């Protein structure tokens, strides 16, 4: 699959750079699932996936002429995705601040099936806390912990040294534990 | 004796998460089912072409506006050298040109703030959301700087900013920060400071440097509030107009009277469906109904918005909100769910 993606990317990249619809469609089909998964894992919000996937590809097609091919296409797309997700989190924070300004109106409780309650609650709490982290810490933690990338893979995707990824991940974990009020247990 | 300090080199076996409870949450996030992507290649290509066209229109208009501003700057000194009786009329004529051109320069569609793109990407300048209109109310040789889809820096001049976007518009003037919340505001800027503001619709919020609200103002009632509001200020409508209903809803909301806010917004949307305040009111109505657990009514409100204004940039947000409510089992007649 990876080799097929690479072959598709190399073969159609020049045509996509010229705005060829078929070439752009091929690139889209080859990478849309990866982008969708990344968006989902970065935001925790399935309802924004379609819009953000579209935004990522529109930005990529618009800037494709500037893709210097000195990095993998997947890495380049990942960075565009991360930047679009930053906009999403910025908008989320502004929306929450606006709602606080007009007074907090309690949301009616959502009833979830009992067997799913814990997983859903865990995810919602985690992403609510992730949204409060600075972008760089959130991105490092998401890449390492949620997307399960290695240090080397995360370093390449984020464009920072391995030591920086490690440092930011640890910092993010410490802040998340504070925000989530997790007991300061002895870690493994 | 020398001390050799080893370089920090994390182990490749270093776990991503160390705290066991946090790991449990992370595993829940990892196990979230992957979404089906509903976007198709044809729609994507059409959206990309539309974005390109809009970008060219904005750039072209900005070039024209800059050229016109240069002409105005040259024309005024030239006219002052002619006979006294023709001076003021020539100057007025020259000034009259610029606002018209400046209005054309306010068209903007692309919401991609290209400054957000990765360094390795060749970036296009950011473009203002199409749901925001910026006009120069007097000639200015400097255009507002677009910092993002909902983010502007205003230079010296008198500016009108009209937004129907659900997301607030961030305005920077020197060190000052303002936020326009779904409204129409006129801002006069001199020497990198805000010297006057007039709120014609919605709300204007003054923020501190760390983002806290310092002051908030609603629509002005003064007669000298500028050309757009002069007529409105002298009118006394027999029943509340759309702006008054919007203000009424804001006041109910601020006081925690959700039910009354919903009623005010329903009146606005049904009595003034074509008003400038209607799109934002419909989004707010949907949100309030959603938060009140009135899911069927919320679906109808969101559905009505998407039916009337599918082209607005906030349509995406509304679509997401409606999808989050699920399918439901009722049909809608306007705002009213019917079984």
């Amino acid at each position: 699959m990876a080799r097929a993606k690479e072959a598709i990317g190399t073969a159609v990249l020049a045509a996509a750079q010229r705005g060829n619809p078929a070439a752009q469609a091929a690139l889209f089909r080859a990478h849309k699932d990866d982008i969708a998964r990344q968006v989902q894992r970065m935001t925790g919000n399935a309802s924004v996936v379609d819009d953000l996937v579209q935004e990522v590809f529109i930005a990529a097609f618009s800037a494709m002429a500037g893709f210097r091919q000195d990095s993998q296409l997947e890495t380049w797309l990942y960075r565009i995705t991360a930047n679009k997700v930053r906009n999403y989190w910025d908008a989320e924070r502004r929306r929450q601040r606006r709602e606080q300004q007009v007074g907090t109106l309690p949301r009616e409780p959502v009833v979830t099936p009992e067997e799913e309650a814990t997983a859903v609650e865990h995810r919602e709490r985690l992403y609510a806390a992730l949204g409060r982290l600075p972008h760089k810490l959130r991105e490092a933690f998401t890449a390492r912990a949620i997307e399960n990338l290695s240090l080397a893979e995360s370093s390449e995707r984020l464009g920072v040294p391995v030591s920086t990824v490690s440092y930011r991940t640890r910092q993010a974990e410490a802040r998340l534990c504070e925000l989530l009020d997790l007991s300061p247990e002895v870690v493994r | 004796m020398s001390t050799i300090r080893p370089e920090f080199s994390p182990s490749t076996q270093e776990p991503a998460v160390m705290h066991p409870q946090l790991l449990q949450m992370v595993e829940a996030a990892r196990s979230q089912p992957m979404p089906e992507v509903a976007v198709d290649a044809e729609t994507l290509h059409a959206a990309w072409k539309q974005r390109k066209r809009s970008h060219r229109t904005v750039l072209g208009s900005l070039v024209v506006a800059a050229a016109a501003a240069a002409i105005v700057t040259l024309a005024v000194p030239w006219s002052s050298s002619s006979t006294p009786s023709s001076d003021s009329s020539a100057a007025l004529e020259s000034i009259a040109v610029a606002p018209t051109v400046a209005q054309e320069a306010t068209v903007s569609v692309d919401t991609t703030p290209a400054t957000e793109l990765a360094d390795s990407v060749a970036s296009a300048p950011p473009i203002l959301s199409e749901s925001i209109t910026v006009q120069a109310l007097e000639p200015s040789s400097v255009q507002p700087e677009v910092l993002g889809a909902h983010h502007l820096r205003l230079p010296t001049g008198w500016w009108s900013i009209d937004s129907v976007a659900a997301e607030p518009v961030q305005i920077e003037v020197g060190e000052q920060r303002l936020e326009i919340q779904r409204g129409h505001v006129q801002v006069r800027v001199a020497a990198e400071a805000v010297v006057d503001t007039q709120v014609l619709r919605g709300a204007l919020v003054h923020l501190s440097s760390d983002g806290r609200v310092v002051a908030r103002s609603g629509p002005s009632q003064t007669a000298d509030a500028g050309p757009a509001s002069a007529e409105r200020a002298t009118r006394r409508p027999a029943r509340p107009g759309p702006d008054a209903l919007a203000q009424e809803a804001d006041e109910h909301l601020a006081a925690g009277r959700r039910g009354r806010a919903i009623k005010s917004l329903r009146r606005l949307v049904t009595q003034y469906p074509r008003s400038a305040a209607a799109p934002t009111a419909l989004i707010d109505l949907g949100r309030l109904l959603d938060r009140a657990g009135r899911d069927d009514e919320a679906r109808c409100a969101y559905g009505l918005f998407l039916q009337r204004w599918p082209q607005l940039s906030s349509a995406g947000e509304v679509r997401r909100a409606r999808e989050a409510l699920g399918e439901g089992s009722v049909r809608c007649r306007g705002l009213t769910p019917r079984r």
Side-chain angles (χ1 to χ4, degrees), chain A residues 5 30-31 34 56 68 106 122 129 137 156 167 172 180 187:
Chain A
K5 272 188 193 172
H31 294 280
D34 283 346
V56 167
R68 293 190 292 272
H122 281 333
L137 298 192
E156 189 194 343
Y167 173 78
L180 293 165
V187 298

Side-chain angles (χ1 to χ4, degrees), chain A residues 99 102-108, chain B residues 252-253 255-258 288 291:
Chain A
E99 288 176 357
V102 297
T104 303
L105 297 174
R107 183 182 284 277
E108 305 302 323
Chain B
H252 285 316
L253 203 62
R257 296 187 292 262
R258 178 162 52 198
L288 285 176
R291 292 180 83 83

Side-chain angles (χ1 to χ4, degrees), chain B residues 3 8 35 80 83 93 100 107-108 148 151 154 175 178 189 235 237 249-250 265 279 287 298 303 305 309 317 326:
Chain B
T3 303
F8 172 65
S80 68
T83 57
E93 210 171 301
T100 309
V107 174
S108 57
H151 194 178
L154 295 180
E175 296 297 318
L178 308 172
V189 178
R235 265 190 289 135
D250 276 346
L265 291 171
R287 281 203 196 118
F305 178 93
W309 299 289
E317 178 192 332

Side-chain angles (χ1 to χ4, degrees), chain A:
Chain A
M1 180 63 172
R3 186 170 293 182
K5 272 188 193 172
E6 190 184 320
I8 289 171
T10 305
V12 304
L13 205 53
Q17 284 174 339
R18 291 191 298 271
N20 180 286
Q24 290 183 351
L27 276 175
F28 171 68
R29 281 191 286 270
H31 294 280
K32 70 177 170 83
D33 290 338
D34 283 346
I35 302 293
R37 188 183 62 249
Q38 286 158 14
V39 167
Q40 167 107 325
R41 287 192 168 150
M42 290 177 183
T43 64
N45 187 346
S47 66
V48 304
V49 168
D50 279 345
D51 276 1
L52 284 178
V53 165
Q54 178 161 301
E55 287 297 316
V56 167
F57 279 98
I58 287 176
F61 294 156
S62 301
M64 189 135 277
F67 175 53
R68 293 190 292 272
Q69 303 191 45
D70 54 356
S71 64
Q72 295 252 345
L73 186 60
E74 286 85 354
T75 302
W76 186 69
L77 289 173
Y78 186 95
R79 291 181 191 174
I80 296 176
T81 306
N83 278 302
K84 289 298 173 188
V85 169
R86 284 192 180 195
N87 299 342
Y88 163 81
W89 282 116
D90 285 341
E92 273 299 297
R93 284 184 203 138
R94 281 196 290 271
R95 186 174 299 125
Q96 284 167 20
R97 197 180 69 221
R98 188 167 68 243
E99 288 176 357
Q100 282 167 13
Q101 284 166 9
V102 297
T104 303
L105 297 174
R107 183 182 284 277
E108 305 302 323
V110 176
V111 177
T112 56
E114 200 171 302
E115 62 274 14
E116 282 226 345
T118 306
V120 168
E121 282 168 8
H122 281 333
R123 274 201 295 270
E124 287 182 356
R125 286 188 67 208
L126 176 65
Y127 279 102
L130 272 171
R132 294 172 65 181
L133 294 185
H135 290 310
K136 292 178 181 177
L137 298 192
R138 179 181 45 73
E139 286 161 5
F141 186 85
T142 303
R144 284 283 288 137
I146 302 177
E147 295 190 70
N148 218 13
L149 299 176
S150 67
L151 278 168
E153 287 167 336
S154 301
S155 166
E156 189 194 343
R157 294 282 177 106
L158 298 172
V160 297
V162 164
S163 56
T164 305
V165 174
S166 174
Y167 173 78
R168 287 178 182 172
T169 307
R170 295 280 75 80
Q171 286 290 304
E173 176 162 359
R175 292 222 201 170
L176 285 171
C177 288
E178 277 177 34
L179 291 169
L180 293 165
D181 206 22
L182 300 180
S183 57
E185 305 178 11
V186 174
V187 298
R188 59 193 178 93

